[in-house]
Amino acid sequence: MTTLSPALSSVADKSADRVYNFSAGPSVLPESVLRQAQNDLWNIFGSGIGILEHSHRGPAYDRVLAEALEDVRDVGNVPDDYDIMFVQGGATTQCFMVPMNFAAGKKSDYFLTGKWASDSVKEAQKLSDVNIVASSKETKYDRIPDCSDWKFTNDAVYCHITSNNTIAGTQWKNPPEHPGGAWIACDASSDIFSCPIDFTKYGMVYAGAQKNLGPAGTVLVIAKKDVVASGRDDLPEMLKYKVHAAKESRYNTPPTFGIYLIGQVIKWIRAEGGTQAMAERNEAKARIIYDFLDESEFYKAHAQTESRSLMNITFTTPSAELDSKFIDEAAKKGLDGLAGHRSLGGMRASIYNAFPAQGCVALVDFMKEFELANKG
Ligand SMILES: *Cc1c(COP(=O)(O)O)cnc(C)c1O
């Protein structure tokens, strides 16, 4: 049995009636948050009404929304000149909302580093004159392209990156700086608040909630106020960031439960020591698995070492048959959701903020056992 480093011993293990959930998204949430939500679903703040049943214009929801906005700003260290918004439609809606608001008929730069980046590019191409700064498609998105290969457009409005490529398992260490002064737009769906973020390096950061923040459908958008103000006016109201910002995420009936739960997860991050503590914990958790992969001749990691994600760890056994067997046998042992994305195959261990360290140890123990039983 691999032993757990002292830095991780405070990370709660899962409860006995739950399994280790390695799902890429929707994914594991903090148990204490789920327990609190069970109570608040019944009766929040002693109001005699559950969170799902409160008016989005009443005092209980006023408090939920105000706290969520305040806590995101505080825990996320979001500067005052940035708007915080909750919108709907998943991160996929951001793929077109960003170019629609800011780059219709203008130039934009994109890094093609994965399947989600590719979806962003496809939508942007319908609206904007898109330049691909660099791509790792040729090597199955196994890396963040080296900066010697970047080709920027000088007069691009913004430059889009995907900070963590959920499917291939790669992650940016730092955002690029655009030589023409374009602001950086970042899809941070699968690594938001897994570590501290310096928002001053971005014009906009957005994240679908279902990986590190809460329920699917709701999206957190954090954008510089002057970027928001520069958005087009002649769009449907629901598609304008400036409307959501001005109406404080209450232009229509918002996804109240999603916003409530994101707020609870942010409170949990604070209680656990904040985003810096998350970063340390996530590094230690990922190291348990990567250290083992580095020693192994049986398993092969998909991502290049210097581009590795701390959130999604992708690997294979020597054959596709053994991969399937691995996934089936692991699930029987309470290690669930390890199948890689259908576009890549192999295995993927998603170990977001709320994933317990003991689950990483359990995975490595299983990997050793499986190797012994199956190596030729
Ligand atoms: C999951 C994911 C998406 C898609 O999110 P939806 O909520 O399904 O629209 C987009 N980008 C990244 C990086 C993701 O991980």
Side-chain angles (χ1 to χ4, degrees):
M1 180 92 182
T2 317
T3 49
L4 217 49
S5 83
L8 285 169
S9 54
S10 69
V11 182
D13 198 0
K14 64 176 181 58
S15 292
D17 58 345
R18 287 163 58 91
V19 300
Y20 291 118
N21 176 11
F22 291 92
S23 170
S27 40
V28 60
L29 288 165
E31 291 192 355
S32 60
V33 168
L34 295 174
R35 293 292 189 202
Q36 182 66 45
Q38 284 182 319
N39 290 331
D40 292 343
L41 215 53
W42 189 246
N43 180 351
I44 189 169
F45 306 141
S47 62
I49 298 174
I51 175 61
L52 288 172
E53 307 161 295
H54 267 289
S55 162
H56 64 295
R57 311 240 179 240
Y61 184 71
D62 283 348
R63 177 171 161 191
V64 165
L65 177 63
E67 285 186 11
L69 291 170
E70 259 171 52
D71 290 340
V72 168
R73 195 173 294 283
D74 176 42
V75 173
N77 199 16
V78 179
D80 288 342
D81 57 338
Y82 283 67
D83 282 316
I84 299 170
M85 292 160 263
F86 297 103
V87 298
Q88 300 192 55
T92 303
T93 295
Q94 299 303 302
C95 295
F96 67 83
M97 259 179 86
V98 173
M100 191 178 253
N101 274 268
F102 306 112
K106 298 177 189 165
K107 291 179 185 166
S108 55
D109 275 348
Y110 278 76
F111 279 89
L112 186 51
T113 54
K115 194 258 178 198
W116 297 117
S118 160
D119 282 5
S120 289
V121 166
K122 282 182 200 150
E123 293 294 71
Q125 281 170 336
K126 296 173 186 167
L127 298 149
S128 168
D129 181 358
V130 173
N131 166 55
I132 305 296
V133 181
S135 167
S136 52
K137 192 173 177 190
E138 294 287 294
T139 52
K140 292 191 175 167
Y141 301 123
D142 67 343
R143 69 196 71 190
I144 304 298
D146 187 81
C147 60
S148 58
D149 297 329
W150 298 355
K151 292 185 183 64
F152 292 101
T153 311
N154 263 330
D155 50 349
V157 177
Y158 63 79
C159 175
H160 183 278
I161 66 166
T162 310
S163 53
N164 184 72
N165 297 281
T166 323
I167 292 169
T170 65
Q171 192 170 18
W172 286 80
K173 304 270 179 299
N174 287 297
E177 268 176 50
H178 195 276
W183 49 270
I184 305 296
C186 176
D187 177 355
S189 294
S190 52
D191 67 352
I192 183 104
F193 300 148
S194 66
C195 60
I197 305 171
D198 180 357
F199 283 98
T200 63
K201 292 184 173 165
Y202 301 91
M204 171 183 287
V205 175
Y206 62 85
Q210 72 270 32
K211 279 88 183 207
N212 245 339
L213 289 179
T218 307
V219 183
L220 172 65
V221 179
I222 299 174
K224 205 165 184 205
K225 285 183 195 278
D226 60 12
V227 165
V228 171
S230 73
R232 260 172 84 167
D233 289 312
D234 57 343
L235 293 175
E237 297 303 292
M238 278 295 281
L239 298 183
K240 291 196 277 193
Y241 294 106
K242 55 175 69 160
V243 168
H244 292 290
K247 301 286 180 185
E248 293 182 308
S249 303
R250 258 196 297 208
Y251 171 70
N252 71 329
T253 315
T256 52
F257 182 75
I259 294 168
Y260 155 82
L261 206 81
I262 292 171
Q264 294 298 314
V265 169
I266 301 292
K267 286 180 195 296
W268 173 82
I269 293 175
R270 178 194 280 131
E272 296 289 309
T275 54
Q276 183 56 39
M278 289 292 133
E280 286 161 24
R281 185 183 288 190
N282 288 327
E283 267 179 44
K285 275 162 37 183
R287 203 177 314 121
I288 294 170
I289 302 172
Y290 282 126
D291 280 354
F292 175 69
L293 280 172
D294 283 342
E295 283 169 23
S296 173
E297 287 175 12
F298 184 79
Y299 299 99
K300 191 173 172 297
H302 175 67
Q304 298 286 303
T305 310
E306 59 291 350
S307 299
R308 283 172 171 175
S309 166
L310 299 184
M311 299 279 96
N312 312 95
I313 300 180
T314 46
F315 60 96
T316 51
T317 67
S319 73
E321 292 70 38
L322 281 175
D323 289 349
S324 305
K325 192 175 172 196
F326 181 101
I327 293 158
D328 289 348
E329 289 185 8
K332 286 189 193 119
K333 300 216 154 171
L335 306 172
D336 196 79
L338 283 164
H341 189 268
R342 57 190 184 279
S343 63
L344 188 66
M347 276 75 71
R348 169 174 51 175
S350 298
I351 52 170
Y352 301 116
N353 285 351
F355 188 85
Q358 200 62 54
C360 299
V361 175
L363 174 61
V364 168
D365 287 343
F366 174 75
M367 288 169 82
K368 288 178 183 164
E369 206 183 293
F370 186 84
E371 176 176 348
L372 267 180
N374 292 283
K375 71 178 165 202

